[in-house]
């Protein structure tokens, strides 16, 4: 298959995804009138950015694209699988536990040092929890933890 055609087909598919995503993001509403941006601001930015990148692929495809090796595909599959698992476990386990487990899994995939990985995952999860909960006033799922 023509190298330019591969990028253009990918760009077209991603452009369609961006259009659908952005359209859905416009339907997000908030019940809090004090929120100036609303819940759709971040998804709209992501959709627009994806649309711009998609158009770039269509207009200016890579002249000599290279595909990742089989090991990289396996690694990407494991990362996507762990993120799906994270999405399903964040509510029952809570933000801190689920995020700690996710960070450990990602560090194992990327072959991080075990002791530093666990310590960094626990500290980072707790810091993020307190930043979002107390600093920004956003409620995150507690799950199994009492706080």
């Amino acid at each position: 298959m023509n190298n330019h055609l591969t990028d253009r087909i990918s760009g077209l598919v991603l452009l369609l995804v961006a259009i659908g995503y952005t359209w859905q993001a416009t339907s997000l509403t908030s019940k809090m009138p004090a929120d100036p941006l609303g819940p759709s601001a971040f998804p709209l930015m992501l959709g627009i950015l994806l649309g711009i990148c998609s158009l770039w692929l269509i207009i200016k495809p890579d002249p000599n694209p290279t595909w990742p090796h089989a090991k990289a595909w396996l690694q990407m599959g494991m990362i996507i699988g762990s993120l799906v698992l994270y999405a399903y476990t964040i509510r029952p386990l809570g933000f801190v536990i689920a995020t700690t487990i996710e960070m450990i899994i990602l560090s194992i995939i990327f072959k991080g040092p075990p002791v530093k990985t666990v310590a960094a995952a626990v500290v980072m999860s707790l810091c993020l929890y307190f930043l979002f909960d107390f600093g920004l006033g956003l409620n995150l799922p507690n799950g199994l933890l009492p706080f």
Side-chain angles (χ1 to χ4, degrees):
M1 185 178 270
N2 183 347
N3 289 340
H4 297 294
L5 189 58
T6 305
D7 276 359
R8 288 193 169 122
I9 291 172
S10 300
L12 183 61
V13 169
L14 289 172
L15 183 60
L16 293 174
V17 169
I19 291 168
Y21 182 83
T22 305
W23 180 53
Q24 287 295 315
T26 60
S27 67
L28 296 174
T29 59
S30 176
K31 294 180 182 178
M32 297 182 346
D35 188 6
L37 292 176
S40 64
F42 188 67
L44 280 173
M45 287 188 287
L46 286 177
I48 291 168
L49 183 62
L50 178 59
I52 292 168
C53 292
S54 303
L55 287 172
W56 184 263
L57 273 175
I58 294 168
I59 295 167
K60 190 162 174 56
D62 187 355
N64 193 14
T66 57
W67 286 87
H69 299 289
K71 183 180 176 186
W73 284 103
L74 176 65
Q75 197 174 36
M76 286 186 279
M78 291 188 318
I79 292 167
I80 291 170
S82 75
L83 290 170
V84 169
L85 181 69
Y86 176 67
Y88 280 104
T89 60
I90 193 168
R91 200 166 276 230
L93 295 180
F95 178 83
V96 174
I97 294 173
T99 303
T100 300
I101 292 169
E102 176 63 17
M103 290 179 156
I104 291 170
I105 290 171
L106 290 173
S107 293
I108 289 169
I109 292 171
F110 288 111
K111 297 179 174 77
V115 175
K116 288 181 181 179
T117 292
V118 172
V122 170
V123 169
M124 190 66 144
S125 297
L126 287 169
C127 287
L128 286 172
Y129 178 81
F130 289 115
L131 172 71
F132 280 105
D133 197 50
F134 297 110
L136 299 174
L138 299 174
N139 293 327
L140 295 174
N142 293 336
L144 302 174
L145 296 179
F147 54 82

